Amino acid sequence: MSDLFSPLKLRSITLRNRIGTSPMCQYSSKDGFATDWHLVHLGAFATGGAGVVFTEATAVTANGRISPQDLGIYKDEHIAYLRRITDFVRDNGAAVGIQLAHAGRKASTNTPWNGGGIVRPDEGGWTNVVAPSPIQFAENYLNPNELRVEDIAQITHAFRTAASRALEAGFDIVEVHCAHGYLLHEFLSPLSNQRTDRYGGSFENRARLTLEVTAAIRETWPANLPVFVRISATDWADGGWNLEESVQLASLLRDIGVDLIDCSSGGLVPHQKITIGPGYQVPFSRAVREQAKVPTAAVGLITDAAQAQEIVRSGSADIVLLAREMLRNPHWSLLAASTLGAQIEWPKQYERAKLRPIDVERRREKGSSA
């Protein structure tokens, strides 16, 4: 059996393979509500054979959205709309996960196709953008308000409440978003956290909120269901969060019941210097997996079936999460199985298109990414 298409059991959830769809913002919501776009977008990855499908970063508070068009789970009315999605994804063989997030100082921004930048209140934005310290991300972002200790407790409560709603909405997995320069990552990094209280300074203090939030979710989330955490393993900037600290944090998260660390990187500061290439973030996953003794997910320019197979086979990660490649081809998993000679069930509606060995060989000759 192909390593990539072997099942993975995490508590009571068994992924049918080691392929997942990474969270990707769609900017297609109004007041946080999921729409038909989300149903079709996420549902396609399930019919396309992925083992687990994640929602985009889903805000735990209204002012924690990246943009006014972000998905949210900050009120009970969101639940029914999300339930349509979880039912469809699960009915089509994939586990379904939600990424819980707070944008912090990167909130109230415009959609990429409208040029990004600040969204004013009269355009649907807001001014109560918060962060660990009043440090602006960039010139075209709002100056954030520094969170008071009592406000920090409310952030933890918001994540806990969001997890309860996610359970009611039918999700199998909850992932805590501690990456890409959003609020929890902002607390972790000394480049964005200059507090002098118990939430700033030392590693233990900077990691405190992430551990409190994750512990609150682990207490709320059923013991038989997995919890993931996405981290930025490095800030790619001098004086910032680094891989050594990521390994240390991953060990602490493992000890409070986290089942998998999703290893990404960057996003905290605009002056980051990233060396990009195929699988460029896979070494972070391998380091965390080996040193923290916890399952990991690898991300970052994973596009080819053989490449994904080798990542899992070599022990660099337990699963691979694809993003842009899934947008290009939501059925990537089905084609990858054919390429690797793995047996995978196709939707009955698509069986007539199932590849024969000769079709696979022709695709190889043409240089297909699958």
Side-chain angles (χ1 to χ4, degrees), residues 63 104 107-108 118-122 124-130 142-145:
N63 73 325
S108 195
I118 298 168
V119 179
R120 300 190 308 269
D122 62 349
W126 51 93
T127 58
N128 58 330
V129 171
V130 298
L142 289 167
N143 285 305
N145 300 307

Side-chain angles (χ1 to χ4, degrees), residues 329 331-344 346 350-364 368 370:
N329 181 6
H331 301 102
W332 187 92
S333 305
L334 297 178
L335 298 179
S338 297
T339 299
L340 296 172
Q343 296 299 315
I344 183 173
W346 284 52
Y350 292 173
E351 280 184 347
R352 74 193 75 176
K354 196 169 184 177
L355 295 178
R356 302 164 297 168
I358 191 171
D359 297 321
V360 174
E361 187 59 35
R362 286 170 178 168
R363 290 179 65 84
R364 284 177 180 155
S368 168

Side-chain angles (χ1 to χ4, degrees), residues 301-365:
L301 292 183
I302 300 170
T303 60
D304 180 80
Q307 175 197 19
Q309 162 74 359
E310 179 59 21
I311 289 168
V312 175
R313 188 208 63 78
S314 67
S316 293
D318 295 271
I319 62 175
V320 295
L321 297 178
L322 282 68
R324 289 176 177 86
E325 195 63 23
M326 286 290 194
L327 294 182
R328 299 180 190 109
N329 181 6
H331 301 102
W332 187 92
S333 305
L334 297 178
L335 298 179
S338 297
T339 299
L340 296 172
Q343 296 299 315
I344 183 173
E345 185 176 350
W346 284 52
K348 294 181 179 63
Q349 298 90 334
Y350 292 173
E351 280 184 347
R352 74 193 75 176
K354 196 169 184 177
L355 295 178
R356 302 164 297 168
I358 191 171
D359 297 321
V360 174
E361 187 59 35
R362 286 170 178 168
R363 290 179 65 84
R364 284 177 180 155
E365 291 173 358

Side-chain angles (χ1 to χ4, degrees), residues 16 39-50 53 88-94 330-334 344-350:
R16 60 183 171 184
L39 176 63
V40 174
H41 166 69
L42 296 169
F45 304 128
T47 60
V53 176
F88 184 87
V89 170
R90 191 180 299 101
D91 286 348
N92 284 278
H331 301 102
W332 187 92
S333 305
L334 297 178
I344 183 173
E345 185 176 350
W346 284 52
K348 294 181 179 63
Q349 298 90 334
Y350 292 173

Side-chain angles (χ1 to χ4, degrees), residues 147-187:
L147 283 162
R148 301 172 300 172
V149 171
E150 54 267 36
D151 298 326
I152 292 174
Q154 290 303 308
I155 297 291
T156 301
H157 177 73
F159 273 94
R160 183 195 295 271
T161 305
S164 295
R165 293 191 184 103
L167 181 63
E168 190 173 346
F171 287 95
D172 301 310
I173 301 168
V174 64
E175 177 172 272
V176 187
H177 197 359
C178 301
H180 303 164
Y182 300 123
L183 185 65
L184 297 183
H185 184 190
E186 291 164 19
F187 270 88

Side-chain angles (χ1 to χ4, degrees), residues 130-253:
V130 298
S133 300
I135 304 171
Q136 191 178 21
F137 172 70
E139 288 184 1
N140 59 338
Y141 285 74
L142 289 167
N143 285 305
N145 300 307
E146 181 174 315
L147 283 162
R148 301 172 300 172
V149 171
E150 54 267 36
D151 298 326
I152 292 174
Q154 290 303 308
I155 297 291
T156 301
H157 177 73
F159 273 94
R160 183 195 295 271
T161 305
S164 295
R165 293 191 184 103
L167 181 63
E168 190 173 346
F171 287 95
D172 301 310
I173 301 168
V174 64
E175 177 172 272
V176 187
H177 197 359
C178 301
H180 303 164
Y182 300 123
L183 185 65
L184 297 183
H185 184 190
E186 291 164 19
F187 270 88
L188 291 172
S189 177
L191 295 178
S192 49
N193 183 350
Q194 297 182 3
R195 302 176 73 94
T196 57
D197 61 8
R198 62 195 180 97
Y199 288 98
S202 67
F203 166 85
E204 290 75 16
N205 284 354
R206 287 182 282 113
R208 190 181 305 278
L209 180 57
T210 291
L211 294 172
E212 288 177 347
V213 164
T214 307
I217 289 174
R218 184 69 275 180
E219 291 169 4
T220 303
W221 202 240
N224 67 317
L225 296 180
V227 172
F228 292 6
V229 175
R230 170 166 277 197
I231 63 170
S232 277
T234 176
D235 287 340
W236 298 97
D238 292 341
W241 182 259
N242 58 47
L243 180 57
E244 181 181 353
E245 290 176 309
S246 291
V247 170
Q248 190 176 353
L249 177 65
S251 298
L252 295 171
L253 291 168

